[in-house]
Structures are given as C-alpha cells and as structure tokens.
C-alpha cells in the first residue's frame, strides 16, 4: 500500500484530497494545525469505508513540528511515497500600503518556508540517493502566482510565485533520484480560506467573470493532485495544472 502525507488535510482541498486518495488505495497521513475535530472527521470518513488514515497535528511553520510530523508518519506507516504540500494561509484583503512585517512573516512562513521544509523531509525519505525508493511531491500553488492578486493579497500571490519557482528547481534537482515534483494552481474553490481573506462570498461576487461561470469544488482540485501523485503522470515533472475555471 502506498503512503501519502497531506499537509492541511483537515478541511478544504487537503481534506478532499485525503478522501479521494484513500479511495484510490493510499494509506493517508492527515496533517492539521489546530482543528483536531475536523481532522478526526476526515479520518473517520476514510476508516469508516475500510481505508487507512491517521491524523497528525503539526504546525508546518515550525521546523521542530515538521520533524515530528515526518517521524510520526515513519513510525505509523514505515515509508513515504507521496507528499502533498497543501497547507497554506490567506490574510485579509488589503493594498500594499497597509501590510506590516508581521503579516508578511505569517504568510511566508506558512506558504513558503513550511512547504520547503516539508519537501526537504520528503526528499530525505524518498530519494534513491538516500536509500529511498522514489516518490512524488505535489505542491499546491495558486493561479494568484500568475495574476498577482492586485488590491487583494499580493503578498499571498508572491508566496505562491515562490512555490512555482521552487517546484521547477526542485523537480530538476531530484529528477534522477526517482522523485517527481509538480504543482496545481487552483482558484475560486469553495473552502473556508475566502473567509480568512475577509470575504466569504468572494466567489459569488466574481463568478460571472470566470470563463466557466462558477466556483470550483475541492474535489476537482483533488483529482488533479492525485493524477500528479500517481504513475499516470510518470513522464511529467516540474509542471503545473491550473484548476481555475479558465482564468
Ligand atoms: P482551508 O480550507 O482554509 O484549509 C487550510 C488547511 O491548512 C487546514 O487544514 C488548516 O488546518 C491547514 N493549515 C493552515 N496553516 C497550517 C500550518 N501552519 N500547519 C499545518 N496546517 C495548516 O484552505 P484551502 O482553500 O483548502 O487551501 C488549501 C491550499 O490551496 C492552500 O495552499 C491555498 O493557498 C491553496 N489555494 C486555495 C484556493 C481556493 O480557492 N480555496 C485557491 C488557490 C490556492 P486547521 O484546520 O487545523 O486550521
């Protein structure tokens, strides 16, 4: 059985990916930061249908907690085949003039440093160079990396641009060590993150300008993530799938 570790899997895109991964036959490590109840619900949904999953608390902005997340995954499952670097945060919409350093630190710690630290621990376990048997890393970026999200959250967009560059670089760095690194760029997906951005109804406001004329579902992003995680995408590395309704 293949082992998949999904960061931020208690809700939203990560939660949907955990449930779809279990259906595809993976044993799932369901990471969460604070919402234990939500993480346990994802685990129950999986185990209730005969799947294998465990919830593991860790704040990925803290290096010692990232180390604990991976050592706990080792302890429970004994190996790692796929990392989905999904955990990420958004802060209230504002222009640059209003942004302070504390906000920027929170955004970059969660969306860049945390993802890079998790990728480091995954590479140590998967790389043929380190005695691993290969694997796949799927980073969750955003279409904001391309649009820049002006007037809303250019800091968040910049953090996702960094993830795109990281995806390209790491893909080349570890390609001959049996690890593929790819990313999805979602947008306008119905999750709690828009409330964190200060506008829970954001998708309704802008959906008429989305070519497909609707918001997306977390499960639609999960499909793309799991394709990139699987051997079906075996000749792709360093690529991006936009799941953004045509934007
Ligand atoms: P969400 O519904 O707000 O869920 C966020 C998840 O990340 C939760 O499981 C949360 O855990 C976890 N998390 C946050 N900070 C964490 C940390 N420091 N350590 C560990 N876990 C942490 O968000 P979402 O919309 O599903 O977003 C998932 C990813 O998709 C993010 O990277 C986001 O930037 C990206 N994305 C989303 C959209 C969209 O339209 N929704 C568009 C583009 C990109 P708790 O439950 O414990 O708080």
């Amino acid at each position: 059985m293949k082992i998949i570790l999904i960061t931020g899997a208690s809700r939203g895109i990560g939660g949907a990916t955990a449930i779809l991964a279990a259906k595809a036959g993976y044993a799932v490590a369901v990471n969460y930061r604070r919402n234990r109840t939500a993480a346990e619900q994802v685990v129950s949904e999986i185990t209730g249908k005969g799947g294998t999953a465990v919830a593991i608390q860790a704040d990925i902005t803290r290096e010692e907690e990232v180390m604990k997340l991976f050592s706990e995954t080792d302890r429970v499952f004994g190996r790692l085949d796929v990392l989905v670097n999904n955990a990420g945060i958004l802060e209230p919409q504002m222009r640059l003039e209003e942004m302070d350093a504390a906000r920027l630190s929170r955004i970059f710690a969660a969306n860049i440093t945390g993802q890079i630290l998790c990728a480091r621990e995954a590479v140590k376990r998967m790389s043929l160079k380190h005695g691993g048997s290969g694997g796949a890393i799927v980073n969750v970026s955003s279409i904001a990396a391309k649009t820049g999200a002006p007037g809303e959250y250019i800091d968040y967009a910049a953090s996702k641009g960094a993830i795109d560059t990281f995806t390209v670089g790491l893909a080349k760095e570890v390609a001959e060590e049996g690890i593929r690194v790819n990313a999805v760029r979602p947008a306008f997906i119905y999750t709690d993150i828009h409330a964190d951005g200060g506008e829970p109804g954001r998708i309704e406001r802008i959906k008429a300008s989305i070519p497909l004329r609707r918001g997306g579902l977390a499960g639609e992003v999960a499909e793309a993530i799991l394709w990139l995680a699987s051997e079906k995408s075996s000749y792709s590395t360093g690529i991006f799938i936009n799941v953004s309704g045509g934007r």
Side-chain angles (χ1 to χ4, degrees):
M1 184 182 270
K2 290 207 165 189
I3 312 301
I4 189 169
L5 166 58
I6 306 169
T7 64
S10 50
R11 302 181 277 123
I13 292 168
T17 305
I19 288 162
L20 198 63
K23 265 192 206 152
Y26 290 95
V28 191
V30 174
N31 161 248
Y32 68 101
R33 175 187 45 176
R34 282 196 284 258
N35 197 337
R36 184 179 182 85
T37 308
E40 293 293 357
Q41 272 168 9
V42 171
V43 169
S44 303
E45 187 164 341
I46 292 170
T47 54
K49 289 183 180 141
T52 305
V54 63
I56 307 176
Q57 193 281 328
D59 178 342
I60 59 145
T61 68
R62 295 172 176 273
E63 188 169 19
E64 68 279 11
E65 296 196 23
V66 170
M67 303 303 281
K68 191 194 74 182
L69 169 62
F70 280 80
S71 61
E72 186 61 10
T73 304
D74 293 341
R75 191 187 67 74
V76 175
F77 295 117
R79 54 178 285 131
L80 182 65
D81 300 288
V82 176
L83 166 68
V84 180
N85 243 335
N86 166 77
I89 61 163
L90 194 59
E91 295 258 340
Q93 296 168 356
M94 62 178 66
R95 284 175 48 99
L96 173 65
E97 293 92 314
E98 297 173 73
M99 291 178 187
D100 62 18
R103 169 184 166 121
L104 299 179
S105 296
R106 289 191 297 272
I107 287 283
F108 297 141
N111 296 358
I112 304 176
T113 307
Q115 286 211 16
I116 293 177
L117 291 175
C118 288
R120 181 191 73 192
E121 292 310 303
V123 166
K124 284 188 198 164
R125 286 157 176 81
M126 295 172 180
S127 171
L128 303 179
K129 193 177 134 197
H130 297 297
S133 45
I137 297 173
V138 183
N139 295 326
V140 180
S141 172
S142 168
I143 207 72
K146 291 286 160 199
T147 64
E152 293 193 314
Y153 13 70
I154 58 176
D155 53 346
Y156 169 87
S159 74
K160 295 300 187 176
I163 286 305
D164 284 8
T165 305
F166 174 66
T167 300
V168 170
L170 182 63
K172 291 175 181 165
E173 190 165 304
V174 297
E176 62 182 347
E177 297 165 30
I179 307 173
R180 294 180 306 106
V181 185
N182 295 292
V184 293
R185 290 197 198 104
F188 322 117
I189 308 302
Y190 289 106
T191 71
D192 299 338
I193 206 169
H194 306 288
D196 296 337
E199 190 186 5
R202 177 173 182 262
I203 297 171
E204 298 314 308
R205 172 172 60 83
I206 55 182
K207 75 178 179 192
S209 69
I210 300 168
L212 287 178
R213 298 284 186 271
R214 65 174 178 88
L217 302 176
E220 294 178 289
V221 186
E223 293 283 358
I225 291 172
L226 286 176
W227 184 75
L228 290 171
S230 78
E231 282 304 304
K232 290 178 184 167
S233 61
S234 51
Y235 199 51
S236 294
T237 197
I239 71 154
F240 300 85
I241 299 180
N242 295 347
V243 189
S244 54
R247 270 279 188 94

